[in-house]
Amino acid sequence: MTIDRRRLLAGAAAVPLLGALPMRRARAQAASTIKLGVLNDASGHYRDIAGPGSLACVRQAIQDFGSRGFTVETVFADHQNRPDVGVNIARQWYDQDGVDVIIDVTTSSVALAVNGVTREKNKVFLGSTPATSDLTGAQCSPNGIQFTYDTYMLAKSTGGAMVKAGGDSWFFITADYAFGHALERDTGNFVRAAGGRVLGQVRTPFPGTTDFSSFLLQAQASRAKVIGMANAGADTINTIKQAAEFGITRRGIKLAALLMFISDVHALGLNTAQGLVCTESFYWDLNERTRALTARVLPNMPQGLRPGMGQAGCYAAALHYLKAAADMGVAQAKADGRAAVARMKAMPTDDDAFGPGSIRADGRKIHPSFLFEVKTPAESRGAWDYYKLLQTTPAEEAFRPVAEGGCPLVRS
Amino acid sequence: MDEIFGIPIPLLFGQLLLGLINGAFYAMLSLGLAIIFGLLNIINFTHGAQFMMGAFVAWMLLSLGSADAARIGLALLLLPLVVLLLDWLWLKLRLAQPIRLGLGVFVSAAWIAACFLENGGPVARALGAMFPNGLSYWWALLIGPIVVGASGVLLERLMIAQLYKLDHLYGLLLTFGVGLIIEGIFRNEFGSSGLPYRIPPELSGAWDLGFMFMPVYRGWVVLAALILCLATWLVIEKTRLGAYLRAATERAELVQAFGINVPLMITLTYGAGVALAAVGGVLAAPIYSVNPQMGVNLIIVVFAVVVIGGMGSILGSILVGFGLGVVEGLTKVFWPEASATVIFVIMAIVLLTRPAGLFGRA
């Protein structure tokens, strides 16, 4: 077949017309459609603590929320733990793709950047896996809520318990970015407040460190009783594995996993992980509601992972936002992110992940935190039966008091 | 206590030793890269993925009896080996090239389809039934390189061989892409937090050296790496096979005119380079968590090692591998934040002053 010029021109002219049709329909739909964007690390160190599991939990929340006269869509992207990539995706989502809410955002450095963009665009940012307590402190925003945990909560629960058990001198192995620094700072404060001493710290490049033996030897040489691991994911796994290899723990030095997730315990195996103490705000086998949530979402979790606290937090965040949006009207929730967040703060929360709770003025969602000890292989009665509960910190005490955070929203 | 720049001497000794251990990995991996580049002129960016595959094969062998994913994964990874063996058989039977190709495609399709049947299909089930307790670390050291090396041979025959006529850049892009695909597949199947793999009981425990606690396993890694490096160097520099290889690098046509099968030699060289990466992976499995990204961080450093040593220089990559391990170890004491960067600073300086690398020929 020969294509003459006229037909070619006609064809070229038709392309934009065709393209415009579905777009116009999308606009018409958009008025009553809420678009949730799940942004996290889908290909790196933090994939298993967030990744596609967070998306599965957000979708579960949409399903559990049911239909209330508007539709909810999800989009998903990988920020590769790079703030520049995260900011670009956030801008594109807000400016072009009609995303109303960004959920999750693993990695504190990326989360702080996305927090800024969200405020500028007057949308909503619901952080679940970023840990830095600065999100509700100096950098708190009227457009943001931090759901699951933060460095203060982890530091208070794990750090406090370790000092109480006699671990009064500390050395930190810290991932060299916003999260590691915040966790080291918050834990150090607790250790000193309880009468302990911080003997030193070493900052490890992130990402890109696989061998921690050198840092472990430095920690050992400091003669500290506790090595605080202010890192997460594969870094924590490698540190624990290599500490066992170099006999650090056999010499009576305690390891404090300041941020450890159940997927990390699974990756380590109970033989290596047994006896470690860690703090989480969610455990799949905690009570009837958490077990029910886990049973619902499990078929959609990648690689049969049990949901961790970060992913459960995404569930709670999405569910509570949808409740608030239904309450205030979809059109207004979409138009004004600040108003939507204000409504979320005004409403009490209740979900299968954390039970009843509330959101403070500084954007901190509060609920109890749990100190767990990893079971020995003999104690574990089945797949993913990993934790025994040591101690519960009630919601009012688990997080940093509003006045101490220095959040500008509260002062004014 | 005696100190150097405020660092206690025992600590410094410990760091030197640790640096040497990490250097062993750098040397082993850069050796494979150097061989491949020296003889094929291909910059093998799949090396990190192949290192990772070695570690995964070790885990799969150990978990044959306990994990479905291990059985199915191994069944799929065995496919290149099976295809190569069958192809060799068909060649002996003097089947024509198109028929061999057709049969190969058919067998592969059937094999892959079988692995997606219920319970992993016949191959996976047979593997599980034969080895209910899995195969130990020592078997992995043997089987890992063979399985991963066979996949490398197939990759060279089917894809890389098409690119020899073109610029280096095409080989680099192809191998880089293949590496990303392999890592992506493993990530989708196994997640990112990794799989547990314990140190074999024969090598667990540690020696107390006074200034530090030296795990037996790390000593074994250094020993194994030294033996491998030395053996490879001897083969290439001191044997007739090595002489052929070096001759083929200089003038492939002339060597072929003497009746030596140069394409076969090149294919096997690539396979051997890949097998070296896989050995590294098996050795790394008990130390680092076995996860799909384990090659990514290492491979960039290893490329720097090859560049500093001189592209294609075998002795250079061995010496620089160990040397940079030590430099990195010392940086971890004096300026830990810079320990991931120091190697690249050295690379930049070396490239500025000696563009062909320390041991390369300009």
Side-chain angles (χ1 to χ4, degrees):
Chain A
M1 193 184 88
T2 53
I3 299 173
D4 60 70
R5 208 176 57 173
R6 191 176 297 169
R7 201 177 288 175
L8 195 69
L9 284 172
V15 169
L17 277 177
L18 282 174
L21 280 176
M23 252 167 69
R24 194 167 297 163
R25 201 180 301 152
R27 283 263 162 78
Q29 245 176 21
S32 62
T33 299
I34 283 178
K35 214 165 181 180
L36 308 177
V38 180
L39 178 63
N40 61 30
D41 175 10
S43 58
H45 274 19
Y46 298 154
R47 178 193 150 101
D48 283 2
I49 60 176
S54 290
L55 179 65
C57 284
V58 167
R59 291 199 170 137
Q60 188 62 48
I62 295 169
Q63 201 185 326
D64 290 356
F65 178 72
S67 173
R68 306 244 188 114
F70 59 94
T71 50
V72 186
E73 286 175 9
T74 51
V75 283
F76 180 62
D78 179 4
H79 60 45
Q80 301 164 32
N81 293 329
R82 284 163 52 190
D84 52 333
V85 176
V87 165
N88 279 340
I89 294 171
R91 282 189 193 282
Q92 194 199 323
W93 274 1
Y94 289 147
D95 289 343
Q96 289 159 32
D97 300 343
V99 168
D100 304 297
V101 185
I102 291 184
I103 301 179
D104 204 6
V105 196
T106 349
T107 315
S108 295
S109 46
V110 188
L112 289 169
V114 170
N115 192 37
V117 177
T118 306
R119 185 173 191 164
E120 175 195 322
K121 305 279 179 197
N122 193 18
K123 301 283 183 177
V124 180
F125 167 49
L126 307 176
S128 179
T129 37
T132 178
S133 56
D134 290 350
L135 277 172
T136 54
Q139 303 211 37
C140 73
S141 144
N143 294 72
I145 295 173
Q146 195 177 11
F147 256 82
T148 311
Y149 59 93
D150 62 24
T151 48
Y152 184 96
M153 173 198 112
L154 300 166
K156 179 168 186 179
S157 173
T158 313
M162 297 294 272
V163 177
K164 219 179 282 171
D168 54 1
S169 57
W170 284 60
F171 188 95
F172 287 101
I173 294 179
T174 306
D176 192 15
Y177 73 106
F179 150 70
H181 297 179
L183 191 49
E184 181 197 310
R185 176 196 66 206
D186 288 347
T187 313
N189 288 343
F190 275 104
V191 170
R192 278 184 286 265
R197 285 177 308 146
V198 176
L199 300 178
Q201 69 279 320
V202 56
R203 303 265 166 90
T204 67
F206 173 88
T209 307
T210 44
D211 189 59
F212 288 84
S213 48
S214 164
F215 306 122
L216 284 163
L217 283 197
Q218 294 181 45
Q220 191 187 343
S222 76
R223 299 181 191 282
K225 289 183 190 163
V226 179
I227 299 177
M229 293 180 285
N231 51 23
D235 283 355
T236 308
I237 293 172
N238 274 332
T239 315
I240 295 171
K241 228 177 152 173
Q242 289 161 14
E245 195 193 345
F246 278 82
I248 304 277
T249 33
R250 256 173 294 161
R251 295 191 165 187
I253 300 174
K254 286 237 155 47
L255 285 180
L258 295 172
L259 176 53
M260 194 163 71
F261 295 84
I262 190 146
S263 51
D264 300 335
V265 176
H266 187 67
L268 281 164
L270 287 185
N271 273 312
T272 315
Q274 58 180 308
L276 281 171
V277 170
C278 67
T279 298
E280 299 225 41
S281 51
F282 170 88
Y283 173 43
W284 71 272
D285 201 12
L286 196 63
N287 56 46
E288 279 311 315
R289 295 184 76 175
T290 58
R291 279 189 286 273
L293 171 62
T294 305
R296 286 203 301 278
V297 77
L298 198 55
N300 300 318
M301 292 293 290
Q303 291 100 36
L305 286 172
R306 294 288 190 282
M309 64 171 158
Q311 291 146 343
C314 289
Y315 169 86
L319 190 65
H320 191 60
Y321 173 82
L322 292 176
K323 284 179 188 169
D327 188 52
M328 70 193 288
V330 175
Q332 209 204 335
K334 285 173 73 73
D336 189 353
R338 209 157 295 181
V341 167
R343 183 61 63 99
M344 288 175 79
K345 287 176 183 169
M347 292 167 62
T349 67
D350 188 23
D351 52 71
D352 283 353
F354 304 122
S358 61
I359 300 166
R360 296 193 313 211
D362 58 354
R364 177 69 255 169
K365 155 85 168 67
I366 60 168
H367 42 246
S369 73
F370 308 101
L371 187 71
F372 293 111
E373 185 180 323
V374 179
K375 288 184 171 176
T376 63
E379 287 170 320
S380 172
R381 275 169 297 133
W384 294 83
D385 178 24
Y386 291 155
Y387 287 157
K388 53 187 175 196
L389 184 61
L390 292 184
Q391 171 189 313
T392 304
T393 312
E396 302 72 40
E397 293 165 30
F399 293 93
R400 179 174 58 199
V402 182
E404 285 175 28
C407 167
L409 293 177
V410 183
R411 245 182 279 156
S412 61
Chain B
M1 196 187 285
D2 291 330
E3 289 186 354
I4 300 177
F5 302 123
I7 308 287
I9 286 180
L11 182 61
L12 213 55
F13 273 131
Q15 299 299 343
L16 283 175
L17 201 58
L18 287 177
L20 220 52
I21 295 166
N22 284 338
F25 278 110
Y26 295 158
M28 226 175 340
L29 284 177
S30 58
L31 184 65
L33 277 180
I35 293 172
I36 292 171
F37 183 77
L39 297 170
L40 281 75
N41 268 338
I42 288 285
I43 304 168
N44 183 33
F45 256 97
T46 321
H47 222 67
Q50 284 151 344
F51 165 79
M52 177 271 290
M53 283 163 78
F56 267 91
V57 169
W59 174 80
M60 287 169 184
L61 288 171
L62 194 67
S63 322
L64 274 180
S66 53
D68 262 342
R71 282 190 286 272
I72 298 169
L74 192 68
L76 285 172
L77 283 175
L78 281 174
L79 175 62
L81 190 64
V82 170
V83 168
L84 285 179
L85 288 176
L86 284 175
D87 192 58
W88 178 74
L89 191 71
W90 295 330
L91 190 68
K92 290 284 155 201
L93 293 173
R94 295 174 186 278
L95 293 183
Q97 170 84 17
I99 301 179
R100 278 165 52 205
L101 198 68
L103 279 173
V105 170
F106 176 73
V107 168
S108 309
W111 187 282
I112 293 172
C115 289
F116 286 100
L117 292 176
E118 203 146 341
N119 299 328
V123 185
R125 258 177 309 182
L127 283 171
M130 271 195 290
F131 309 107
N133 296 323
L135 284 168
S136 73
Y137 173 80
W138 304 103
W139 282 108
L141 269 183
L142 182 73
I143 298 172
I146 295 176
V147 169
V148 182
S151 76
V153 168
L154 210 61
L155 175 70
E156 196 276 345
R157 278 292 81 200
L158 294 179
M159 298 185 181
I160 298 175
Q162 321 294 323
L163 300 177
Y164 290 136
K165 301 179 288 282
L166 302 171
D167 192 71
H168 291 340
L169 195 60
Y170 290 87
L172 184 153
L173 288 175
L174 174 76
T175 52
F176 185 58
V178 170
L180 286 180
I181 292 170
I182 295 174
E183 272 154 12
I185 293 172
F186 274 82
R187 197 156 46 224
N188 265 355
E189 285 309 310
F190 298 101
S192 69
S193 39
L195 304 157
Y197 193 89
R198 299 180 69 191
I199 294 175
E202 301 86 10
L203 295 174
S204 56
W207 297 303
D208 201 340
L209 301 182
F211 58 90
M212 73 175 279
F213 208 64
M214 172 76 181
V216 177
Y217 188 79
R218 299 238 172 180
W220 153 250
V221 167
V222 175
L223 187 73
L226 277 176
I227 293 173
L228 268 178
C229 291
L230 201 67
T232 313
W233 183 76
L234 280 176
V235 166
I236 290 187
E237 297 291 329
K238 303 290 173 195
T239 64
R240 182 171 287 243
L241 175 68
Y244 289 158
L245 287 171
R246 279 176 291 137
T249 324
E250 300 282 331
R251 280 282 182 83
E253 308 86 1
L254 206 57
V255 177
Q256 205 152 9
F258 282 118
I260 290 160
N261 189 345
V262 172
L264 178 70
M265 214 158 68
I266 287 183
T267 304
L268 291 181
T269 305
Y270 185 78
V274 172
L276 271 175
V279 176
V282 176
L283 286 173
I287 304 184
Y288 306 126
S289 74
V290 179
N291 72 53
Q293 300 99 308
M294 64 190 291
V296 181
N297 289 332
L298 216 50
I299 199 67
I300 300 170
V301 175
V302 168
F303 267 100
V305 170
V306 175
V307 170
I308 297 171
M311 296 293 293
S313 161
I314 291 169
L315 192 64
S317 62
I318 298 173
L319 292 180
V320 171
F322 279 101
L324 283 188
V326 171
V327 170
E328 195 191 41
L330 290 180
T331 317
K332 281 179 175 169
V333 185
F334 290 110
W335 191 12
E337 289 90 335
S339 60
T341 325
V342 63
I343 286 175
F344 302 102
V345 174
I346 296 177
M347 180 174 88
I349 295 170
V350 168
L351 282 179
L352 285 175
T353 51
R354 288 188 65 123
L358 293 178
F359 294 82
R361 282 171 298 167

